Amino acid sequence: MIFSQSTSRHVHEAAGDEEFVVDATRIIQEIPNVTDGAQIVQILHRAARVLRADHAAFASFLRGHDSTESFRFLLACNPQWCLEYQQQCWFAHDPWFQYAERHSSPICASRIPLKTPSQAAVVELAERYGVASGYVVPAPSCGRVSRLGVLVLGSHQRGYFEAKESGPIKVLARSLSMELHEWWVRAARRDLVEKHRLTSEDIELLKMERDGLGSKQIADRLNTSRAAVDSRFQRICAKFQLPNRRATAHAAAEHGVI
Amino acid sequence: MATRNSSRPRIERQIVTQDGRLRFELKRVSAGIWVGRHHLAELKQVEYAAVFSERAEFHRYLDLDELRFRYVPQFAELKRAFDDLLAIDI
């Protein structure tokens, strides 16, 4: 099993090391060029190592129009942790996820209050898999979407991230989280466009729908008839297998297509 | 003149259950085997990806997966595919 190897250097010592910052930045900058799922996991491993974390996991969430929930995890940690997490259905009780839904600032996991036994159980599970100290780094989305990402860095050493939430670590972790989130959005967009064979015209129509334009306004913009616009939307909705253009535009937005 | 070797082993595999609800993707990478697991349940879709460098660890991981009882042949095929890919030198 590949785990990121922690060094004896404490995180706030490493944070003052220019080389550490350069190394982390260089790895993060590779992310936009990655299209392969295997490569992105290996980048997460390398980034966690440079950030002196023993474990790292990036989770991405989005909600479909019919309340379908989609969770995706990139793991630089023991995958058994994620398997057990899924089998216990901890998604709804994860205090770190819930924190990321409402906040944008990174935080030590220990500073997130646990309000229910289920939330405590989620944290205990993480500790059992070696996360004695955790750093939770949200990657929020803007716009009317449920899409959310969160990076968790973990250490075997209790109090590791709590000792000092130093500037470079916070900035680098935030940058890593946002780049990973953007990677997921690009992958989701690519998959959706490919799956539904969307054309640039389809996407343009969906954007206008999302902007609140009606058929007549769209027809005027495209110099066509309202009937033609309605017909085009029917075909696009059929591609998505969704009941109406509003749901279709919403799905496209959630997947980063518009 | 050097000739291209046309019999290179496949370094990727995909294993899908008959109902299409569970899919595994495997790929030989320098650090081991990248494994993607995609499960579509009723109202939830869960995907995760990790790299395994050891056979025993992957087999142990599969043995914890509750879906192994529902998709017995696919899990057996998975173990074989993992072992085959890990044996490939890259």
Side-chain angles (χ1 to χ4, degrees), chain A residues 147-209:
Chain A
R147 203 168 61 224
L148 169 71
V150 57
L151 171 70
V152 173
L153 299 174
S155 170
H156 288 126
Q157 189 178 325
R158 200 163 292 283
Y160 189 79
F161 289 108
E162 283 80 351
K164 190 174 179 179
E165 288 175 67
S166 56
I169 291 290
K170 182 174 180 178
V171 168
L172 291 168
R174 201 171 211 164
S175 177
L176 175 62
S177 185
M178 291 302 300
E179 287 295 342
L180 288 171
H181 189 51
E182 282 303 306
W183 184 87
W184 265 130
V185 173
R186 282 194 298 275
R189 179 167 59 228
R190 240 187 350 258
D191 289 348
L192 197 79
V193 169
E194 199 175 292
K195 178 182 174 187
H196 298 305
R197 299 185 309 279
L198 294 179
T199 64
S200 52
E201 291 80 17
D202 292 341
I203 293 170
E204 190 186 358
L205 267 181
L206 289 169
K207 273 186 194 163
M208 287 192 267
E209 164 62 30

Side-chain angles (χ1 to χ4, degrees), chain B residues 40-51:
Chain B
L40 181 61
E42 290 308 316
L43 282 177
K44 203 172 255 99
Q45 176 178 281
V46 182
E47 302 180 16
Y48 47 89
V51 175

Side-chain angles (χ1 to χ4, degrees), chain A residues 20-136:
Chain A
F20 146 82
V21 173
V22 167
D23 287 346
T25 303
R26 190 177 295 133
I27 293 170
I28 294 167
Q29 285 179 323
E30 292 178 28
I31 294 173
N33 299 321
V34 171
T35 53
D36 183 275
Q39 270 185 295
I40 199 69
V41 169
Q42 293 179 86
I43 283 181
L44 181 58
H45 275 284
R46 288 168 50 212
R49 264 199 303 274
V50 168
L51 293 175
R52 314 295 194 253
D54 297 307
H55 316 285
F58 183 79
S60 179
F61 165 82
L62 66 87
R63 185 173 288 114
H65 80 288
D66 55 355
S67 301
T68 310
E69 294 176 329
S70 176
F71 295 88
R72 297 179 171 189
F73 298 88
L74 297 173
L75 305 176
C77 60
N78 190 335
Q80 293 175 17
W81 172 21
C82 192
L83 188 62
E84 198 169 334
Y85 174 96
Q86 179 199 350
Q87 288 176 165
Q88 300 284 349
C89 295
W90 285 135
F91 310 103
H93 307 287
D94 189 331
W96 300 345
F97 230 99
Q98 289 166 358
Y99 172 84
E101 282 182 307
R102 294 172 176 77
H103 303 87
S104 60
S105 188
I107 190 172
C108 287
S110 58
R111 302 202 208 292
I112 299 173
L114 304 177
K115 296 175 184 171
T116 68
S118 296
Q119 286 184 337
V122 172
V123 174
E124 276 164 27
L125 179 68
E127 286 182 8
R128 212 157 9 100
Y129 281 99
V131 181
S133 172
Y135 198 48
V136 178

Side-chain angles (χ1 to χ4, degrees), chain B residues 17-36:
Chain B
T17 57
Q18 210 158 5
D19 58 11
R21 290 192 167 274
L22 182 64
R23 181 175 89 247
F24 282 91
E25 294 166 351
L26 295 87
K27 184 175 181 178
R28 183 70 166 103
V29 296
S30 58
I33 309 293
W34 172 85
V35 178

Side-chain angles (χ1 to χ4, degrees), chain B residues 53-70:
Chain B
S53 58
E54 296 167 7
R55 175 187 186 273
E57 196 67 28
F58 181 66
H59 285 220
R60 219 166 23 240
Y61 158 79
L62 287 188
D63 289 343
L64 288 176
D65 196 326
E66 291 173 345
L67 293 180
R68 73 190 187 281
F69 297 117
R70 195 185 304 174

